[in-house]
Amino acid sequence: MKKSLLIFVAGIFLFSCNTGVENKSGEKPVIGMAAENVRNETLRSWQAYKKYAWGHDALAPLSKTAKDWYEEPLYISPIDAYSTLYMMGFEDETRLIEAYVVDSLDFDKDLDAKVFEVNIRILGGLLSMYELSRNAAVLEKAKDFADRMLPAFDTKTGIPTYWVNLKTGQAHGDTVNVAEAATYTFEMGVLSYYTQDPKYYQAGKKATLAIFDLRSEIGLIGDVIDVNTGEWVSTQSHLCAGVDSYYEYLYKSYLLFGDDELGRLWEESIKGINTYLAETYDGKLWYGRADMHSGEKVSSVITLYDAFFPAILALSGDTDRAIKLQSSWDYLWNLNGLEPMVYDYKKATSSYPAYDLNPEIIESAYYLFKITGDSSFYKMNAQYWSDIKQYCKTDIAFTSIKDVETKEQKDYMPTFFFAETLKYLYLTFTEDEQSYPFSDYTFNTEAHPFKRNHFDKSKAGRYLGFVNSEQ
Ligand code: DMJ
């Protein structure tokens, strides 16, 4: 029997030996052994973080030490981990994080933070912490943090600089990629909704419109831009790392807030993507790189981040392409049992064969499993989880891999492993459909969940400052 089939059959058998995790009403919903296993591994890794890296940004699981992104820690792992721990029902742990954030976390730090990264992890994490806890003091922290980010958006184009100093507001770094330029409408929109102050969403949307307005005659964008001149520094068009979440937020922000303008931007963008970037090579669907002006293919080098795209295709209704693309990514994963960071689908080589516990292929399998109901996507995630446990597990947690062929380990557990990878695995496997139904939630690009019906579309225009044409 094939290994993947064996895992699936074992999964079905184990479902009959269900365990439970208490929910808020004191009931014990059945989650099944596969989900329970992810839950146990999450707790084991979280406890390792607490023991060896508490108060710091991330855990280095081999040396059993802490790593910080900047001169001072910003507490990124716990903020990123919160929504996953919450959904898994670890109430003591989430209460601990919440208390630390409210009582001890002070963002008045003289350090330069990467605007894009702290937006999706810290602002996104804090907003979902508020969304789940309804603790008003957490919303105040989120607002304080966003106010410290806003000076970065004060450029000629409205596209934020790469860095912003959290204490002084001094912003610098004129060259950014498209993801760094325009992945803000989601978090800024949520904050505008909750504060009823449009300034956040307006700043994020201005940056998004600036990128869209700089598209070529054939409707493609480049990938690196100067925030002051608005000139493309690189005219390569793709949906790989460095662009990915720009497209993701066009659709997701439209979905969550109902801003039709973003919906139109998505519709226009996806036409160019499917016309010029998509190609079938060796019987597999891939999205490569093309020149934004001529539309001619310039490269078949992709990154594992691109595996987010089947999820967005499926969410936006193009299940056919989503299934084909996911099958290409599944093929790539199974070449080595983990996927390489960078891969050339024509040369079948990797110039950077690391795997950093990234979530994207798992995220897409989760979406496809929920949208199509096809168990082959469940099986994919069972396979990926089994491989991650085989190659990335350490005595205290999980760690990144230097080379997917040799499986040599690095000494780092990224914060998105808590936020995304473990969450999407858990949500795929859990039998408890009641607590977090797929169609009730929209996730930011760091997998922080926001309940769709918390955002009343008849109020969103007013709170976020947009007008739909039919209103
Ligand atoms: C995450 O931080 C986010 O999903 C981001 O958009 C790109 N990918 C990383 C994890 O791989």
Side-chain angles (χ1 to χ4, degrees), residues 83 87 119-120 122-132 134 139 186-191 193-194 249 252 255-257 423 436-455:
S83 60
M87 289 171 117
N119 176 63
I120 64 172
I122 297 183
L123 185 58
L126 290 174
L127 289 168
S128 83
M129 196 181 293
Y130 171 67
E131 164 86 12
L132 293 165
R134 293 288 156 175
L139 182 60
F186 194 101
E187 293 78 9
M188 295 293 186
V190 169
L191 184 58
Y193 190 93
Y194 283 138
Y249 275 17
K252 285 186 173 174
L255 190 65
L256 192 61
F257 310 122
K423 182 186 285 130
Y436 300 101
F438 172 75
S439 55
D440 283 7
Y441 287 87
T442 307
F443 299 87
N444 86 333
T445 190
E446 192 74 0
H448 295 303
F450 293 87
K451 202 165 189 187
R452 291 188 196 172
N453 69 10
H454 286 176
F455 299 88

Side-chain angles (χ1 to χ4, degrees), residues 99-150:
Y100 187 93
V101 162
V102 171
D103 301 334
S104 311
L105 192 57
D106 181 2
F107 290 123
D108 195 37
K109 292 180 192 290
D110 189 6
L111 58 85
D112 291 349
K114 290 182 189 172
V115 179
F116 164 78
E117 293 292 354
V118 297
N119 176 63
I120 64 172
R121 302 185 201 218
I122 297 183
L123 185 58
L126 290 174
L127 289 168
S128 83
M129 196 181 293
Y130 171 67
E131 164 86 12
L132 293 165
S133 66
R134 293 288 156 175
N135 181 340
V138 172
L139 182 60
E140 270 310 304
K141 284 280 170 192
K143 188 176 166 309
D144 170 63
F145 192 76
D147 288 336
R148 294 171 189 279
M149 284 173 58
L150 279 186

Side-chain angles (χ1 to χ4, degrees), residues 150-351:
L150 279 186
F153 291 76
D154 191 14
T155 61
K156 288 201 184 100
T157 58
I159 297 170
T161 52
Y162 188 84
W163 301 100
V164 70
N165 186 292
L166 294 183
K167 192 187 197 63
T168 65
Q170 211 173 15
H172 65 105
D174 291 350
T175 307
V176 298
N177 67 39
V178 165
E180 291 153 358
T183 303
Y184 303 96
T185 48
F186 194 101
E187 293 78 9
M188 295 293 186
V190 169
L191 184 58
S192 279
Y193 190 93
Y194 283 138
T195 58
Q196 300 183 23
D197 182 346
K199 77 174 176 208
Y200 304 104
Y201 183 69
Q202 289 306 312
K205 189 171 170 183
K206 188 174 175 193
T208 293
L209 290 176
I211 291 295
F212 183 77
D213 289 345
L214 289 164
R215 70 195 180 284
S216 67
E217 284 188 359
I218 59 171
L220 293 180
I221 54 167
D223 63 350
V224 180
I225 197 155
D226 185 307
V227 305
N228 285 313
T229 64
E231 280 179 14
W232 290 108
V233 175
S234 162
T235 55
Q236 225 180 64
S237 200
H238 57 82
L239 49 77
C240 309
V243 174
D244 47 6
S245 43
Y246 161 73
Y247 291 121
E248 182 181 353
Y249 275 17
L250 292 182
Y251 191 75
K252 285 186 173 174
S253 303
Y254 159 68
L255 190 65
L256 192 61
F257 310 122
D259 182 348
D260 288 347
E261 192 174 7
L262 290 190
R264 279 195 298 277
L265 263 51
W266 163 259
E267 287 302 331
E268 286 221 19
S269 302
I270 191 67
K271 276 187 228 151
I273 290 173
N274 282 328
T275 306
Y276 298 106
L277 305 185
E279 72 174 330
T280 301
Y281 184 80
D282 207 13
K284 291 176 197 68
L285 175 65
W286 295 108
Y287 284 78
R289 295 169 189 249
D291 178 79
M292 66 178 275
H293 298 294
S294 68
E296 270 171 38
K297 292 270 176 351
V298 292
S299 164
S300 46
V301 173
I302 52 174
T303 68
L304 58 74
Y305 294 81
D306 321 0
F308 82 103
F309 206 56
I312 294 299
L313 285 172
L315 191 66
S316 62
D318 190 351
T319 334
D320 283 355
R321 278 200 187 83
I323 291 171
K324 283 192 193 120
L325 186 57
Q326 182 67 12
S327 137
S328 307
W329 284 105
D330 185 56
Y331 158 82
L332 182 53
W333 180 285
N334 284 311
L335 284 181
N336 290 296
L338 296 172
E339 58 186 347
M341 192 67 66
V342 177
Y343 183 70
D344 187 323
Y345 58 80
K346 287 192 176 157
K347 294 185 185 149
T349 54
S350 171
S351 58

